[in-house]
Amino acid sequence: MKQAGSVALAAVLAVMAGGVAQAQERDNTKTNPLSVREINENDIMMKKTLWRRVDLNEKQNQAMFSKNNQITKYLIDAVKAGVLVAYPNDSVNTPMQVEKFAEKLAVPEQTVALTAEEKAAGFGTEEKTNDGWGDAKDKKAAAKKPVDDGWGTPAPAAAKAKPVDDGWGTPAPKKKATAKNTKGKKGVKPAPVVPEVPKVDSSAMAKANPFTGIERLSDEFSVLDIKEDWVFDRKRSRLYYDIQTVGIVIPADKSPSGLETQVAYFKYKDLDKLFRSDPKKFIWYNSQNQAQHKNLADAFDLRLFWGRIYKVSNPKDRDLIGQYGSEREGLMKSYQLEQQLMEQEHGLWEY
């Protein structure tokens, strides 16, 4: 009995040891796949998701929007070249079709709709023109009648062209067109047949390259929509602004509808890779010292831009204007949030 009990105890200990070994082999580390510098979720002590609106025409942001070096221009050109993937929203789950992206860039057709009063007044309907000398119908009828030659009788219709008289009273016979060099010669080769050039299907070319229409100017894409995580890493005792996505927005004053238009969104991880692939091309323009232009990826890391907070993660997923009812209150709350985040960071360092 004692021997059987010791065997059972040994078996239980072996099973427990195996379970511990399996638990230790599991990988419990989880990171955000959109982060450029991944942080283990177990090391995150505090986190808030922020949405910022960056106006590139503001003085602090103009370094990203210098002439021929607009950041939005670089992103659009990268999508056209197939280097960058665009997404319809900041969730960046499903890629946007290239044809849809081309529609966002195209200049919208501005058609003016007539009101009921304008249509009743006769606007928008085609009218027959009258030169003041009679009705247009009379002119058409007169055109069908033969023209009077001035002697009271209508001029006869133009006769068919008669053969030319040779001066002897008989029409000159028609001469056969023969080449001088080939007259009387045998075995003359016929002229070579020129092959027809195949016609190019313009519709197929348009499908292959949808960026063939008239596009907006680069200066019209002057707003960036940035989604980022405010994260405090307890392991490194440091606060990070972890940018997740960057979107291109057409401002309301550049849109015919008078509303902001979202063009496309991009993973910031892809943008960081794109900017660092050519540091001399993708520059943050330094107006104070042209020898010290910075790469756009470094400019984002150094926070060399300013964007107003317009949304913070909340249960109902509302922006600040929707939460507080007016633009004025939303703007005031945005500045209060900036101060609260600074004080919260200071409190984490102090305590």
Side-chain angles (χ1 to χ4, degrees), residues 59 80 89 178 208 263 266 286 313:
K59 187 175 182 179
K80 291 180 179 179
N89 48 52
T178 57
V263 179
F266 309 92
N286 189 349
S313 55

Side-chain angles (χ1 to χ4, degrees), residues 15-86:
V15 171
M16 292 177 61
V20 172
Q22 289 179 1
Q24 289 178 352
E25 289 177 359
R26 292 178 183 174
D27 187 10
N28 294 327
T29 58
K30 294 182 181 180
T31 56
N32 189 343
L34 297 178
S35 300
V36 176
R37 299 169 182 85
E38 296 178 349
I39 303 174
N40 192 337
E41 290 185 357
N42 297 326
D43 298 332
I44 297 177
M45 189 172 70
M46 294 195 67
K47 176 181 175 181
K48 287 185 179 181
T49 304
L50 311 174
W51 283 262
R52 295 182 183 270
R53 189 58 50 88
V54 179
D55 187 357
L56 297 173
N57 286 321
E58 292 186 3
K59 187 175 182 179
Q60 187 173 349
N61 301 323
Q62 287 180 356
M64 290 184 174
F65 207 59
S66 59
K67 189 173 182 180
N68 298 326
N69 289 303
Q70 297 94 337
I71 182 174
T72 51
K73 175 180 178 295
Y74 288 142
L75 301 184
I76 293 171
D77 292 343
V79 175
K80 291 180 179 179
V83 179
L84 196 62
V85 180

Side-chain angles (χ1 to χ4, degrees), residues 235-297:
K235 187 174 182 179
R236 299 178 179 86
S237 296
R238 181 178 172 184
L239 178 69
Y240 289 95
Y241 285 95
D242 189 11
I243 301 177
Q244 304 293 301
T245 61
V246 176
I248 300 176
V249 179
I250 301 174
D253 58 346
K254 299 294 183 181
S255 178
S257 62
L259 301 173
E260 291 184 345
T261 305
Q262 283 75 20
V263 179
Y265 287 82
F266 309 92
K267 295 179 180 179
Y268 178 70
K269 196 171 186 177
D270 297 341
L271 300 189
D272 183 81
K273 184 178 179 181
L274 174 67
F275 295 153
R276 297 188 187 281
S277 64
D278 193 347
K280 294 184 179 180
K281 177 183 178 181
F282 305 103
I283 63 169
W284 178 89
Y285 191 89
N286 189 349
S287 58
Q288 302 300 324
N289 186 359
Q290 297 182 7
Q292 293 296 327
H293 293 323
K294 295 188 180 298
N295 184 256
L296 284 172

Side-chain angles (χ1 to χ4, degrees), residues 159-215:
K160 295 183 179 179
K162 297 180 179 180
V164 182
D165 193 352
D166 59 357
W168 296 94
T170 57
K174 295 181 179 179
K175 295 182 180 180
K176 295 182 179 179
T178 57
K180 294 181 180 180
N181 298 333
T182 60
K183 188 176 181 181
K185 295 183 181 180
K186 297 181 179 180
V188 179
K189 296 181 179 180
V193 179
V194 180
E196 295 183 358
V197 180
K199 296 181 180 180
V200 180
D201 190 357
S202 59
S203 60
M205 291 181 63
K207 291 180 180 178
N209 182 18
F211 303 100
T212 55
I214 302 175
E215 297 181 359

